[in-house]
């Protein structure tokens, strides 16, 4: 009897597995279509100076939408793109769009530094640097125009090779930001080895700073330490004035979150900029 029950359980298990695999294949196929049929776009979320509230940059965030509605959100389709290898193509497309947008804004006398998320697999591609370099040349990207956001996972893999690549990117005039800081396994002592300009405090910390004393203490310490290492600190996921006040007083350089602005199409960011200047 046990055996039969066991087999049935196994059958249910494999059915669930292949259902999941089929879902992933569906997303993958739809993503290929979306890439060809312009369902993908970049939205830009303002990053502001913690003291003056002025725009210091914008994070490019990928959107997959039809008629203004999300088909899938990045946390759903980025992993699929990584598993299927599509991320190389997708990542290059994102970088190209961001560089083109940067050029467009500069042509209109707006210098808005753009931050682009780079996935681990994309970063490990051999042609990543040559591609970046070529795009920058083609779009006239200079120092202060572009920043790459990488996670601890990306930076810790690959040892010396990764460190050299990071240094090379920085020498090319691209700023580097350590995204989602605090969610990985990066010990604080690692920080001094990573050639990054900016530390981006994960929104899970920001979410709890005003309600949880331990989170508040940790966040304060991390900001102080990063600042003493000469790094810029930005907090993501700022949703309230109370959070903003806390982070500003703790020494955060810049802030980003729904409190200041949601991710929006490029044209909307220009209107946001005009409205905030007025
Ligand atoms: P991330 O790089 O940490 O981006 C921040 C995420 O937090 C974005 O989600 C953003 O919309 C959201 N967010 C911003 N402000 C707030 C806030 O005040 N409250 C809350 N609750 N959320 C806020 P999104 O756009 O869904 O992207 C999720 C993740 O997907 C990103 O996390 C990033 O890891 C990845 N991603 C997005 N675009 C790209 C891309 O072009 N390339 C790669 N490789 N990954 C991307
Ligand atoms: Mg990011
Ligand atoms: Mg982040
Ligand atoms: Mg995140």
């Amino acid at each position: 009897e046990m055996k039969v029950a066991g087999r049935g359980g196994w059958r249910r298990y494999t059915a669930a597995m292949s259902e999941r695999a089929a879902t992933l294949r569906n997303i993958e196929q739809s993503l290929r279509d979306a890439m060809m049929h312009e369902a993908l776009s970049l939205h830009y979320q303002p990053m502001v100076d913690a003291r003056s509230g002025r725009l210091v940059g914008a994070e490019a965030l990928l959107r997959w939408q039809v008629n203004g509605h999300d088909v899938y959100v990045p946390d759903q389709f980025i992993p699929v793109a990584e598993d299927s290898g599509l991320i190389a193509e997708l990542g290059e497309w994102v970088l190209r769009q961001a560089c083109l947008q940067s050029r467009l804004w500069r042509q209109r006398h707006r210098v808005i530094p753009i931050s682009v998320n780079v996935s681990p697999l994309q970063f490990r591609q051999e042609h990543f640097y040559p591609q970046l370099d070529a795009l920058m040349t083609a779009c006239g990207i200079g120092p202060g125009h572009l920043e790459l956001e990488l996670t601890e996972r990306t930076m810790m893999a690959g040892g010396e090779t990764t460190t050299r690549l990071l240094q090379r990117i920085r020498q090319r005039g691209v700023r580097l930001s350590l995204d989602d800081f605090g969610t990985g396994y990066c010990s604080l002592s690692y920080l001094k080895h990573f050639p990054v300009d900016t530390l981006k405090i994960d929104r899970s910390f920001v979410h709890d700073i005003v309600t949880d004393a331990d989170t508040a203490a940790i966040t304060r310490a991390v900001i102080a330490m990063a600042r003493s290492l000469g790094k810029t600190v930005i907090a993501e996921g700022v949703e309230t004035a109370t959070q903003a006040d806390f982070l500003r007083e703790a020494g955060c350089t810049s802030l980003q979150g729904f409190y200041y602005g949601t991710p929006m199409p490029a044209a909307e960011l220009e209107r946001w900029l005009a409205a905030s200047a007025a």
Side-chain angles (χ1 to χ4, degrees), residues 5-164:
R7 280 217 195 119
W10 175 249
R11 230 173 267 130
R12 273 198 300 281
Y13 177 68
T14 49
M17 288 285 283
S18 56
E19 208 173 288
R20 188 178 142 70
T23 305
L24 293 183
R25 266 199 310 279
N26 270 340
I27 298 182
E28 183 186 335
Q29 188 51 50
S30 314
L31 185 55
R32 286 183 195 280
D33 292 344
M35 286 170 78
M36 283 189 305
H37 296 103
E38 295 168 358
L40 300 180
S41 65
L42 292 185
H43 280 194
Y44 295 89
Q45 185 177 31
M47 305 192 282
V48 307
D49 181 271
R51 302 207 166 270
S52 67
R54 295 176 72 143
L55 190 76
V56 292
E59 179 175 7
L61 293 157
L62 193 53
R63 290 294 176 266
W64 178 356
Q65 296 182 328
V66 169
N67 300 326
H69 294 285
D70 290 333
V71 179
Y72 291 105
V73 297
D75 285 332
Q76 293 172 313
F77 68 84
I78 295 284
V80 176
E82 291 208 332
D83 286 349
S84 61
L86 268 182
I87 193 70
E89 225 174 302
L90 190 61
E92 195 208 345
W93 184 87
V94 168
L95 206 50
R96 181 182 306 272
Q97 296 309 306
C99 288
L100 289 170
Q101 186 61 59
S102 166
R103 183 171 67 184
L104 202 67
W105 274 333
R106 276 178 284 120
Q107 282 166 349
R108 298 209 222 115
H109 308 289
R110 288 192 184 88
V111 180
I112 305 175
I114 299 179
S115 297
V116 177
N117 292 284
V118 176
S119 96
L121 216 128
Q122 182 192 357
F123 186 73
R124 280 208 304 275
Q125 304 271 315
E126 227 166 86
H127 56 259
F128 179 75
Y129 184 81
Q131 217 165 53
L132 173 70
D133 182 52
L135 269 174
M136 288 177 69
T137 304
C139 297
I141 306 285
H145 294 161
L146 183 68
E147 179 175 69
L148 299 183
E149 297 195 1
L150 304 150
T151 60
E152 298 161 41
R153 185 157 70 101
T154 309
M155 293 209 188
M156 290 189 73
E160 277 299 296
T161 319
T162 302
T163 309
R164 272 198 301 276

Side-chain angles (χ1 to χ4, degrees), residues 179-180 200 202 236:
D179 203 357
D180 300 344
K200 195 162 196 177
D202 191 69
E236 66 177 7

Side-chain angles (χ1 to χ4, degrees), residues 208-269:
D208 294 341
I209 42 174
V210 288
T211 50
D212 182 64
D214 290 343
T215 305
I218 292 168
T219 306
R220 232 191 275 273
V222 166
I223 294 170
M225 192 216 40
R227 293 296 302 265
S228 72
L229 288 170
K231 316 237 182 253
T232 302
V233 185
I234 179 163
E236 66 177 7
V238 180
E239 293 181 354
T240 68
T242 319
Q243 291 168 340
D245 291 342
F246 177 98
L247 292 160
R248 189 181 309 109
E249 275 156 32
C252 241
T253 332
S254 328
L255 304 171
Q256 176 185 1
F258 297 164
Y259 179 64
Y260 295 99
T262 55
M264 54 190 110
E268 212 176 295
L269 185 74

